Amino acid sequence: MTATTTKKPFFSAKQASPLRLADSVSDAIAAALFDGRIQPGEPLPPEGEIAREFGVSKPIAREALRQLTAAGLIFTQQGKVARAKAISGEPMERIYGYAVRSSLKSLQEANEMRRVIETGIARLAAERRDPEGLKAMTQAIEDMKTSLLDPAGFTEADILFHLGLAMATGNTMIRVQMEGLRSVQREVSELFSRRSNRTDADWRQTIKRHEEILDAISAGDADLAEAKIKSHFKAADIASLEVADKLEGRRQ
């Protein structure tokens, strides 16, 4: 008589509701991705094994994997097992990108959302001051200085700065959200940099505003950090949306 072994469930599966089988399976797999039981690049169990662990059919397991692929949490290739992806804001970035390029109203709404979100982020960044975020912000300012009068390079440096701001909070979900907002940042920064009357002094003033935000966060002054980022958005919004309004007029 041979001994049998009981394999420990990998996903900590719970009894799935008959009405939402695929959702229950995808939720459990997503939990394993978020809590680190599966690292980026690692393979998931085969479809058949997932189906057996959850007590569902292969088509249900396949649908759960499709949901996770659509959410940007895993990637699949024909004939191969699914693999985990690093958690990022890529799916949101695509959605926001479509939105801000669709109309001036959508751009204004997205930029308003960004202003509200980043005000809170600046406060938390000043309270937490995660070294990795501060380092990214410092590097971004150096990149801005070497990209004067270069709109493309300056835009990328600006995006890095605001990502660093999110990283300084030490909060993964905030970082993911800021990654999702990169398409909004890129559109606004490019509009701002595209102003035909922008002078060298304008570029340097933009850098100064970023330096003041970093200084306030480095000093741990949450009130000042909030005030400085509000001031930055006020200056940037006036210029960028002024250009956007002109571009909208050309479409009509």
Side-chain angles (χ1 to χ4, degrees):
M1 186 173 180
T2 58
T4 59
T5 58
T6 301
K7 186 175 180 181
K8 183 180 179 181
F10 188 77
F11 295 116
S12 300
K14 298 178 181 179
Q15 183 65 39
S17 165
L19 298 178
R20 299 184 59 187
L21 289 173
D23 290 347
S24 297
V25 174
S26 62
D27 283 351
I29 296 175
L33 297 170
F34 275 97
D35 67 20
R37 278 174 281 157
I38 303 179
Q39 294 295 312
E42 288 187 5
L44 273 66
E47 188 179 282
E49 186 175 327
I50 291 174
R52 284 192 299 274
E53 178 168 338
F54 286 92
V56 299
S57 65
K58 280 189 176 182
I60 293 296
R62 192 175 305 124
E63 171 61 17
L65 294 176
R66 187 197 65 77
Q67 292 178 4
L68 294 167
T69 301
L73 294 177
I74 65 173
F75 61 91
T76 57
Q77 290 179 289
Q78 186 66 34
K80 297 183 179 180
V81 296
R83 289 183 178 273
K85 292 180 67 175
I87 307 301
S88 76
E90 180 184 347
M92 287 188 296
E93 183 179 4
R94 289 197 298 271
I95 292 171
Y96 288 145
Y98 291 134
V100 298
R101 292 189 294 270
S102 67
S103 68
L104 173 60
K105 182 176 184 295
S106 294
L107 173 61
Q108 290 172 324
E109 289 181 344
N111 206 46
E112 183 177 58
M113 173 187 66
R114 180 186 164 203
R115 183 170 62 249
V116 170
I117 290 172
E118 290 197 49
T119 299
I121 290 175
R123 291 194 64 88
L124 188 58
E127 294 168 3
R128 300 272 180 84
R129 288 173 285 173
D130 186 278
E132 186 178 1
L134 297 180
K135 181 179 179 181
M137 295 169 75
T138 300
Q139 181 60 56
I141 289 174
E142 291 305 309
D143 292 347
M144 287 180 186
K145 291 177 180 178
T146 59
S147 300
L148 284 175
L149 307 180
D150 171 17
F154 201 91
T155 291
E156 293 309 312
D158 185 36
I159 290 171
L160 175 60
F161 180 90
H162 291 273
L163 177 59
L165 177 68
M167 292 164 59
T169 67
N171 184 308
T172 301
M173 292 296 99
I174 289 177
R175 174 186 60 78
V176 169
Q177 177 63 41
M178 190 63 73
E179 288 175 350
L181 287 170
R182 283 181 298 202
S183 52
V184 180
Q185 296 170 38
R186 182 170 284 106
E187 188 74 9
V188 171
S189 184
E190 287 178 351
L191 285 170
F192 187 73
S193 299
R194 212 181 293 167
R195 293 161 58 209
S196 59
N197 63 341
R198 192 173 191 195
T199 65
D200 182 76
D202 289 331
W203 291 84
R204 296 187 184 281
Q205 187 60 35
T206 301
I207 294 174
K208 182 181 178 182
R209 290 199 302 272
H210 284 85
E211 288 177 327
E212 290 174 346
I213 294 169
L214 176 56
D215 288 345
I217 290 172
S218 298
D221 191 331
D223 290 338
L224 183 59
E226 179 179 340
K228 291 299 182 181
I229 200 159
K230 283 182 177 179
S231 176
H232 170 62
F233 271 111
K234 183 177 179 180
D237 286 356
I238 291 172
S240 61
L241 295 178
E242 177 184 303
V243 174
D245 190 46
K246 291 179 181 178
L247 293 177
E248 183 73 7
R250 292 174 190 171
R251 295 176 189 169
Q252 299 172 350

